[in-house]
Amino acid sequence: MRGQDSGRDSSSSSSSYCSHFWSAALRAKPLSSPSEKAARENSSYGLSRRLSVLDLVLLGIGASIGAGIFVVTGTVARDTGPGVTVSFTLAGASCVINALCYAELASRFPAVVGGAYLYAYTAFNELTAFLVFGQLMLDYHIGAASIARSLASYVVTILELFPVFKDNIPKWIGHGEDIGGVLSINILAPVLLVILTLILCCGVGESSLLNSFMTVLKVVIVIFVIFVGAFEVDVSNWSPFAPNGIKSIFTGATVVFFAYVGFDAVANSAEESKRPQRDLPIGIIASLLVCISLYIGVCLVITGMVPYQFLGEDAPLAEAFTSKGLKYVSVLISIGAVAGLTTTLLVGLYVQSRLYLGLGRDGLLPSVFAKVDKKRHTPIHSQVWVGIVASVMAGLFNVHVLSHILSVGTLTGYSVVSACVVALRWKDKTGSEASPSARREGVFCLIALAVCGFVAGFLFRYDSSAIFLLLAVVVALATSAALHFRQVYDDAPGFSCPWVPLLPAICVFFNMFLFAQLHYEAWVRFVILCAVMVGIYAIYGQYHADPSSDKTIIYSRVSEEEAQ
């Protein structure tokens, strides 16, 4: 009898735990009225609003344009030919669509940090937001460590231009000394990370000043490179334009897509923007358009200067100018690469700390991450933590071997943001919030659309029958039609993404198409990290998170008056 009671108690306890888990996982961040925003802005929890629209544009450019503009353009051109210009154009057009979705949500939630995490928390639920954070954060941590090592290597390369340093700098200082294939000692990379972390801890004004200077420097260098290279172009090198066929151009587009990522950093600076309602969409769209123009210009120059099959692998742009007797331009390219890597790393560290800040405020992480220094108005604890993680990884590990599992978080975040645009527009025919059954149907359609995108990408990658590929596209079109005709959509306050839900549906499909192009280990990483994050949420997050607590930041919906 006692055994039966014990069994019933155990079953009841298990049922109660599961019930609590799901009720917590499915709760969403409530939207508060605009009148409550003043309380948040006058609170010590707030950050300092010091970023102008120009600062935001430079922030987006700084995050996107790194050394990749001097390397990726050439390496992809070796496989694609002069058609690499079209690859960058297609990838840029795809990113513009994603940026339109980001711009609407940044305008709708202009008050606070959080980006894709915040949007998922409000549009869907707590667990989805936590999973998005996990995928994004692993990308950011590995990316920061990798960029820091590349920056250290470039700094040493420039120092070695001086005779006193040439061949006198040990590999373990800047280039990295491999030990057993996994460990790789690098002293300079953590030093650079500590310096940038200290600058970020000083305040957003100081870090923005450094980012602006470095970004302007590298943009000027890129424009100069394009201008000088234009006089060395031989148009005969552009023929044949697509030597490896049209498919190589589309494959190239999936590769260079990641050269544009970074404009989401602007959305994460919402709480530090002077006029977020107006400036955030401008910063996102303008920075991306500048990046597209620069990439296309470099592609045209590099493929016009040297036949594509003779482009170098490690430093194609620098080698192209050296082959033309313009070695001084190669030196400028190295300086531009240092400036580009510095801004990319600076903005990456900045974004990471703001994401930790958002989760600390919501209770999904310990409250120490939510603390903001009252004097400098920066999340120093979050910033130091981010710097420590990046420094350890950059100083001890060969993070380049992890590069093939990168971009999972970026594509996941972009897909979720596009889905959030659709979900936040749903309403019923009377204009009030959509019914639970309508939302469930809409969510099912969004999931089906993502699956179709992944299946289409998988079939395309492995050259499967065109019939199966066409079938996946047809199902995606039918799902998009269901989203369009079976749901009712409200107008968005502030900046409005056009052609909702069709344009966000294209984003979800294409992002998951690109997801399928990643190395299979990236898929394994996605599944394993999701399982780990669910475990962390089950142990800690579900008990400490409180989206409606007065201690958390207030997220406000934009009023019609503010939208003007």
Side-chain angles (χ1 to χ4, degrees):
M1 197 74 174
R2 190 175 301 158
Q4 291 179 349
D5 291 340
S6 176
R8 279 195 293 267
D9 289 343
S10 176
S11 175
S12 175
S13 175
S14 176
S15 175
S16 175
Y17 175 84
C18 291
S19 176
H20 182 275
F21 177 87
W22 284 114
S23 64
L26 297 178
R27 62 192 173 195
K29 169 70 67 177
L31 291 168
S32 62
S33 64
S35 60
E36 295 175 293
K37 187 165 59 173
R40 183 202 58 78
E41 293 183 336
N42 294 326
S43 168
S44 60
Y45 289 100
L47 303 177
S48 176
R49 293 192 179 275
R50 299 182 60 179
L51 298 180
S52 65
V53 65
L54 179 60
D55 293 326
L56 294 174
V57 173
L58 293 175
L59 190 72
I61 297 173
S64 300
I65 300 291
I69 196 168
F70 305 114
V71 179
V72 174
T73 49
T75 54
V76 176
R78 285 174 58 87
D79 299 324
T80 309
V84 67
T85 305
V86 179
S87 296
F88 270 95
T89 304
L90 290 173
S94 173
C95 283
V96 166
I97 299 175
N98 280 282
L100 289 172
C101 295
Y102 256 102
E104 174 175 320
L105 296 181
S107 176
R108 185 180 281 250
F109 300 93
V112 286
V113 297
Y117 154 77
L118 165 63
Y119 309 149
Y121 204 166
T122 307
F124 297 112
N125 55 62
E126 191 168 283
L127 182 58
T128 300
F130 195 59
L131 294 177
V132 169
F133 163 79
Q135 297 293 345
L136 282 173
M137 197 49 58
L138 184 57
D139 266 13
Y140 279 130
H141 282 320
I142 296 175
S146 179
I147 293 170
R149 291 180 72 96
S150 297
L151 177 58
S153 181
Y154 266 103
V155 170
V156 170
T157 299
I158 291 178
L159 289 175
E160 288 177 340
L161 294 174
F162 300 95
V164 67
F165 292 113
K166 188 172 180 61
D167 299 326
N168 291 325
I169 301 179
K171 291 184 66 177
W172 53 269
I173 289 183
H175 292 299
E177 184 74 39
D178 289 341
I179 302 176
V182 177
L183 292 178
S184 179
I185 306 301
N186 189 310
I187 299 300
L188 184 56
V191 172
L192 295 172
L193 282 163
V194 169
I195 293 173
L196 293 179
T197 298
L198 290 175
I199 293 173
L200 287 165
C201 287
C202 288
V204 68
E206 291 76 5
S207 56
S208 176
L209 183 63
L210 176 62
N211 176 72
S212 298
F213 172 76
M214 289 294 212
T215 300
V216 170
L217 175 63
K218 70 180 176 183
V219 169
V220 169
I221 290 176
V222 171
I223 293 174
F224 179 77
V225 166
I226 294 173
F227 179 78
V228 173
F231 291 96
E232 302 292 335
V233 167
D234 181 356
V235 294
S236 65
N237 290 330
W238 290 337
S239 181
F241 189 73
N244 297 318
I246 299 297
K247 184 177 180 180
S248 68
I249 292 179
F250 283 97
T251 303
T254 64
V255 175
V256 304
F257 176 88
F258 306 108
Y260 289 108
V261 300
F263 56 82
D264 57 323
V266 180
N268 280 282
S269 64
E271 195 172 329
E272 289 158 294
S273 172
K274 291 179 179 178
R275 290 172 291 184
Q277 176 67 25
R278 187 202 71 169
D279 292 351
L280 289 176
I282 295 175
I284 292 171
I285 302 298
S287 61
L288 182 56
L289 292 177
V290 170
C291 293
I292 293 173
S293 302
L294 293 177
Y295 273 119
I296 291 176
V298 170
C299 288
L300 290 173
V301 165
I302 194 173
T303 55
M305 289 179 64
V306 180
Y308 74 93
Q309 61 268 35
F310 297 124
L311 288 170
E313 295 184 0
D314 296 326
L317 193 58
E319 292 175 16
F321 278 93
T322 301
S323 69
K324 295 292 184 179
L326 300 172
K327 192 171 182 179
Y328 75 96
V329 179
S330 300
V331 176
L332 282 177
I333 289 172
S334 296
I335 296 173
V338 168
L341 286 167
T342 300
T343 57
T344 303
L345 184 56
L346 185 75
V347 175
L349 295 173
Y350 166 85
V351 171
Q352 291 178 64
S353 68
R354 271 55 182 178
L355 281 173
Y356 275 107
L357 172 65
L359 270 83
R361 285 169 168 171
D362 291 330
L364 287 166
L365 291 178
S367 59
V368 66
F369 291 110
K371 294 183 178 180
V372 176
D373 185 84
K374 293 184 179 180
K375 180 180 179 181
R376 301 189 181 278
H377 298 282
T378 57
I380 291 180
H381 296 86
S382 295
Q383 196 68 71
V384 170
W385 166 254
V386 167
I388 290 173
V389 173
S391 296
V392 171
M393 293 182 66
L396 297 179
F397 299 104
N398 184 3
V399 292
H400 293 292
V401 301
L402 300 176
S403 61
H404 54 271
I405 66 170
L406 279 173
S407 302
V408 174
T410 301
L411 289 173
T412 302
Y414 283 9
S415 299
V416 170
V417 166
S418 301
C420 288
V421 170
V422 178
L424 288 171
R425 295 273 202 104
W426 284 330
K427 65 174 183 178
D428 66 12
K429 294 182 179 180
T430 65
S432 58
E433 187 175 348
S435 65
S437 60
R439 285 188 61 84
R440 282 195 296 270
E441 180 181 335
V443 170
F444 175 79
C445 287
L446 290 171
I447 294 174
L449 194 61
V451 172
C452 288
F454 180 82
V455 170
F458 184 86
L459 296 173
F460 176 82
R461 176 177 179 173
Y462 291 103
D463 295 318
S464 298
S465 171
I467 296 177
F468 296 112
L469 180 60
L470 181 62
L471 179 61
V473 173
V474 169
V475 173
L477 290 173
T479 305
S480 300
L483 280 173
H484 180 72
F485 293 108
R486 292 186 58 82
Q487 298 286 340
V488 181
Y489 295 90
D490 197 1
D491 294 328
F495 181 89
S496 177
C497 176
W499 305 313
V500 173
L502 299 182
L503 192 144
I506 293 173
C507 286
V508 173
F509 181 87
F510 187 67
N511 290 337
M512 296 311 297
F513 182 93
L514 292 179
F515 191 104
Q517 310 308 310
L518 299 177
H519 195 280
Y520 76 93
E521 290 185 18
W523 310 340
V524 176
R525 163 235 153 135
F526 177 83
V527 174
I528 292 177
L529 184 58
C530 282
V532 171
M533 295 303 292
V534 169
I536 295 174
Y537 180 78
I539 296 171
Y540 182 89
Q542 66 166 319
Y543 300 111
H544 295 84
D546 186 0
S548 60
S549 172
D550 293 336
K551 294 182 180 180
T552 60
I553 205 74
I554 295 174
Y555 299 87
S556 39
R557 184 188 293 275
V558 179
S559 66
E560 294 296 335
E561 292 76 13
E562 289 179 303
Q564 303 302 322

